[in-house]
Amino acid sequence: MWTVVYISQVEKKARELVGLLCNNGIISRVRNVNCGNENGCFEVLVPQTELDMAQDLIFENEF
């Protein structure tokens, strides 16, 4: 099951995080969702089994 680990209003920031996660061996993807504004939001998702590692990388890299 996929789990949301990060939400951004800026697509570039979400894609940078996906790149960081992938470079560290964590499968991830970006999903565009409507957050109530005209631009929407971008969710970064990882498999639930990799959630802890992904969160550690997010905190270590100050996302």
Side-chain angles (χ1 to χ4, degrees):
M1 173 177 274
W2 290 89
T3 304
V4 176
V5 293
Y6 189 81
I7 299 174
S8 176
Q9 292 181 332
V10 180
E11 182 178 10
K12 181 179 179 185
K13 187 80 167 172
R15 298 221 179 264
E16 286 176 9
L17 177 55
V18 167
L20 172 72
L21 294 171
C22 288
N23 287 339
N24 284 278
I26 298 174
I27 300 167
S28 58
R29 67 181 189 184
V30 174
R31 177 171 62 186
N32 188 358
V33 294
N34 184 351
C35 291
N37 61 31
E38 59 188 53
N39 295 329
C41 295
F42 300 89
E43 296 178 337
V44 176
L45 299 100
V46 298
Q48 191 170 7
T49 56
E50 300 189 27
L51 180 60
D52 290 337
M53 286 179 38
Q55 288 177 327
D56 289 345
L57 280 170
I58 290 168
F59 292 129
E60 288 171 10
N61 290 277
E62 300 178 357
F63 264 89

